[in-house]
Structure formats: C-alpha cells, structure tokens
Amino acid sequence: MTDTPDRFWSTLRREIRFVDCVALSVVPVVLAAVFLLPPETRMEFAFTYRRPTVLTAFTAHFVHRSLEHLVANVAGYVLLAGLGYVLAVLADERRLFGLAATTYLFAFPPVLSALNLAVPRNAVGYGFSGVTMAFAGLLAVMLAAYAGRRLHPAVSVRHAPAGFLSALAAAALLVPTASRVATAVAGVAALGAFGYAVSGTTALRDGPPHATLYRSGWVDLFALGAVVFAGYPVVGFPSDLRVGTAVVNTYVHLLGFCLAFLVAYLVAATEVLDGDA
C-alpha cells in the first residue's frame, strides 16, 4: 500500500501542538538568557569539582562561556529534540517524549554532575552538551517506535538497541585515546547491534504478509532521523577534545546518551505508558 505526500503533511500538521513547540522552545531561550549575564556572574553557576554544590550541579548545564559553545549546543538540541518530537507524535508516543524530555531537563543535570565526581579532577564543568546527548539517546527509541507505527508492524521499540549499540560502538572507537577497554566496549556493542539487527530482519521477513509500508514522506522522515542519529556521535565525541583552553567532557556526553536511552527504552518496552495523550 502506498501513501501520498498530502496525507503525511496533513497528519503532521494535525499531530503537532503549538503548546508543545512553545515548551520545547523555552530551553534555547533560557540558555540564551543565561549567556547574557555578565561573564563573572555566569561562571559562578558553573560546577567546581573541588567545591561542588547542589545548586551548581543543576545550573552548570545551562552555562556557556563562549558564543560558539552556546550555538553548538542549541543547534544540537533543536535538531535532536525537534526530530525526536516529530517522530514521537507520529508514533503516538507523545507522553513518552514529554516524560523523557522533562526528566532530561530537570533530573539529569544534577545526576550527571554527581556522576562526574567519580572522576577526580581540579576543573570547572559547564555546558548543555550532556543534556543534548540525552536527546540523542531518546532519538534511538523514537526511531524504532516510529518505524513500528508508520513503516512496518513487525518492528517495535524492542529493536531500538540495534541503533543505540551501533552508536555506542562508534563512540567507543571515536575516543582519541582509544584503549583496550574502549576497543572491547566497541566490539561487544557491535555484536549486540548485529544481534538486534538480525532479530529485526527476521521480524520483517516473518511479519504480517500485508504489512503496510508508507512510501511518501514517512520513509523520508525516518531516513532523516536515522542519518542524524548515525552522524551525531561524530559531534558528541570529537577527535580533538581541546577547544581553546577548555576540554570536551566526553564522559558526560556518554553518560547522558546511555542513561537517556535506558530510561526511555525501559519505559517504552515495559509499556508503563499506555499510548499517546
């Protein structure tokens, strides 16, 4: 069965809610407002590892020292959260996306800061990139949910680890100072991704003989999301960790990505939330 571009766009217009877009747009506004503070005031809200506080554990993730850093994180958020939202509403997973986004924005900042203390260092942490990477983890779940809802009923959220593990393997290999541990993680993740991919292929082959495949617009959106998801590890785990006098904290990037995926995947796979709202 085929579909028309008109149906895709009409469905998209119907499902997207203005209030959701306003809520998502609050984040860039807050990040920009914080950046407009005087530099000295702004950096008082950064997370000092030797003198951590509950307040700075949260606020540090909304602090940026340079305009380039701010623009990069805002662009990443808009791309990942925007695509994740569109996929979610078309997959009837609006409630899951809303719950996940709220968790990432309010609970993840202090959690990521606390987990950073596991690596002792005399440094100051700041930036939204850990939370941005969380939306990359959510995108893996939304892609699987969307594929099952709009492309083929044999696909389900349970196949989401295929994309997540592939990205994890790529991230491990992108680490500049690759170690045996990183290589081992990459190998195990790649094997896991292959196993889930085989499971997905089998499900497609043995699925309903009259499975519906929408070709106009629906597949294009999935392809766009898959390309962004596959390419974003290069941004989140750059080969050169030094940016001026600062060092990219790939540890917090990895934490945000992995924890976000696990939270969203477990909620979706256990069907705690029953459908859209």
Side-chain angles (χ1 to χ4, degrees):
M1 176 178 175
T2 59
D3 205 356
T4 65
D6 289 343
R7 176 172 176 178
F8 171 79
W9 290 109
S10 62
T11 304
L12 185 61
R13 285 192 296 269
R14 184 177 67 250
E15 294 297 333
I16 289 181
R17 296 177 182 173
F18 177 74
V19 66
D20 295 340
C21 296
V22 171
L24 288 171
S25 66
V26 168
V27 174
V29 172
V30 171
L31 294 175
V34 172
F35 186 75
L36 292 176
L37 295 172
E40 298 77 11
T41 303
R42 193 190 320 152
M43 294 311 295
E44 288 178 2
F45 293 103
F47 188 70
T48 304
Y49 290 80
R50 292 291 178 86
R51 297 188 304 277
T53 67
V54 175
L55 176 62
T56 58
F58 179 83
T59 59
H61 295 267
F62 298 87
V63 172
H64 295 85
R65 176 170 284 179
S66 68
L67 180 60
E68 293 79 10
H69 190 198
L70 171 66
V71 171
N73 280 336
V74 168
Y77 167 80
V78 170
L79 182 63
L80 295 171
L83 267 175
Y85 172 72
V86 171
L87 290 166
V89 298
L90 293 179
D92 295 334
E93 293 290 356
R94 190 190 309 272
R95 292 178 63 191
L96 174 58
F97 180 88
L99 175 63
T102 302
T103 301
Y104 301 160
L105 293 171
F106 292 98
F108 267 40
V111 170
L112 294 177
S113 294
L115 292 174
N116 260 286
L117 295 177
V119 182
R121 70 192 89 173
N122 183 19
V124 177
Y126 54 89
F128 198 69
S129 52
V131 180
T132 298
M133 285 302 299
F135 283 93
L138 178 60
L139 188 58
V141 178
M142 291 300 116
L143 281 168
Y146 174 84
R149 175 67 177 85
R150 295 295 181 179
L151 301 183
H152 199 295
V155 180
S156 73
V157 170
R158 296 184 183 276
H159 295 113
F164 167 72
L165 291 172
S166 297
L168 183 60
L173 293 176
L174 287 170
V175 175
T177 55
S179 63
R180 291 182 179 179
V181 174
T183 303
V185 169
V188 171
L191 285 174
F194 177 76
Y196 274 100
V198 170
S199 173
T201 302
T202 302
L204 289 173
R205 185 187 62 202
D206 300 336
H210 300 295
T212 301
L213 178 62
Y214 296 110
R215 300 185 183 279
S216 299
W218 307 95
V219 172
D220 297 336
L221 176 61
F222 178 83
L224 175 61
V227 168
V228 170
F229 177 76
Y232 207 78
V234 178
V235 177
F237 303 93
S239 57
D240 186 2
L241 298 183
R242 288 202 168 273
V243 181
T245 58
V247 178
V248 178
N249 189 350
T250 54
Y251 174 63
V252 78
H253 291 187
L254 184 63
L255 286 175
F257 179 66
C258 294
L259 290 177
F261 172 80
L262 289 174
V263 169
Y265 177 71
L266 290 175
V267 172
T270 54
E271 299 181 351
V272 174
L273 302 177
D274 52 351
D276 207 346

